[in-house]
């Protein structure tokens, strides 16, 4: 089991969600974050205005998927979140030991 | 060392916290998230009203525990967070390489 | 590749950010969390006032770095976030399987 974590531009959330639904992702979790990448101290455009970085608003999207689906999920996020401009974000993958559906107690692949 | 991450219904936070304290958990971190599971597009009840999903408010609870305690923590969360209704949440476990208490610099089991 | 996660006092965010920039960290992600450690039920000082814990506001700082840099990043966070008072926080490290820069599709070390 894998956890795919993506930090992307907030206005791209809907596109990423739609891309993930298209490939059959059955759930995801979103939260508000702020951050910066390599251009710290430089400017990044946010909502049409130049933004003097430090911290630029982003959204974190987390998706738990089977090991088999992880690469496809990463590719779908990268493709749907990209604008070609700096600040488009990062996607990383970690290994999950176990997952449980709270309502039923199901574990592993059955819990997805 | 393990990190147990739970996404649960916001009104269940107190019950989960109490269940974890009962089994001796010494700390936890909470944040606000939104998400959806398998019923995306269907309705989920939130605060008594039907909620047209996309994103339903949830809380994320994170607990770092010893490997030995992880299974007990997962069980306590699943039991205390469950209502039997859809949307009760997910719990997953990942492996932590190292943990440090900032105030003292203690590491590993001593840092919990 | 490693993910260093730190839960620290909110007023320490700038010090930690500066310490990380000094050692060449090229990006980080910040979010608002709440939590408690071993003194749950006891009091912790927040913004000059005694705070009846349950949940005390903290910030989560996440940094993806190369395996080689992880120890140095942990040390920099611990040093810069410490006040010597209870509630200074926790730092933990997990292993990342893969990281991608969304704009370019670069992977691994090139994506940092
Ligand atoms: N090393 C990192 N660790 C943790 N989070 C990061 C890291 N680098 C970037 N981020 C997060 O991703 C967001 C977007 O980063 P960004 O796309 O600017 O990366 P970048 O490497 O500077 O690439 P680009 O050159 O395309 O801007 C940041 O605001 C931050 O939240
Ligand atoms: N695959 C997933 N990856 C990441 N987060 C998820 C995933 N599935 C669910 N979640 C998170 O857990 C929350 C609750 O999910 P939910 O309990 O509805 O899961 P479910 O599989 O649909 O189970 P149920 O049939 O009991 O509703 C979601 O709002 C979302 O935040
Ligand atoms: N076991 C844990 N799992 C997850 N988060 C934790 C854990 N312990 C502490 N935290 C997070 O770190 C924050 C700070 O914890 P804190 O520094 O009080 O830890 P502590 O072990 O009580 O150390 P101290 O004795 O120095 O207060 C908490 O508010 C919580 O968000
Ligand atoms: Mg950048
Ligand atoms: Mg559901
Ligand atoms: Mg404490």
């Amino acid at each position: 089991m894998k956890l795919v974590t993506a930090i992307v531009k907030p206005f791209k959330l809907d596109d990423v969600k739609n891309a993930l639904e298209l490939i059959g992702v059955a759930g995801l979790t979103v939260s508000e974050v702020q951050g910066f990448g390599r251009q710290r101290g430089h400017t990044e455009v946010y909502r049409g205005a130049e933004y003097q970085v430090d911290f630029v608003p982003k959204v974190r999207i987390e998706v738990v998927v089977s090991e088999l689906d992880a690469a496809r999920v990463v590719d779908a996020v990268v493709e749907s979140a990209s604008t070609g401009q700096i600040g488009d974000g990062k996607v990383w993958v970690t290994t999950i030991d176990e997952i449980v559906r709270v309502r039923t107690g199901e574990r592993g692949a059955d819990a997805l």
Side-chain angles (χ1 to χ4, degrees), chain A residues 36-39 44 86-88:
Chain A
F36 62 84
R38 295 183 299 175
Q39 295 82 11
E44 193 174 311
I86 61 167
D88 272 351

Side-chain angles (χ1 to χ4, degrees), chain A residues 22-98:
Chain A
L22 264 178
I23 62 168
V25 162
L28 55 82
T29 297
V30 173
S31 51
E32 292 174 12
V33 300
Q34 298 189 288
F36 62 84
R38 295 183 299 175
Q39 295 82 11
R40 62 181 180 283
H42 293 208
T43 52
E44 193 174 311
V45 175
Y46 178 62
R47 294 204 172 153
E50 288 229 327
Y51 210 91
Q52 192 34 350
V53 182
D54 279 12
F55 292 111
V56 185
K58 304 282 175 187
V59 300
R60 177 201 279 115
I61 303 169
E62 287 164 300
V63 194
V64 180
V65 290
S66 74
E67 195 153 347
L68 263 174
D69 289 334
R72 222 153 42 104
V73 167
V74 170
D75 290 346
V77 173
V78 169
E79 202 171 311
S80 58
S82 177
T83 69
Q85 306 299 121
I86 61 167
D88 272 351
K90 292 276 163 78
V91 183
W92 61 76
V93 180
T94 57
T95 298
I96 299 268
D97 301 333
E98 176 66 289

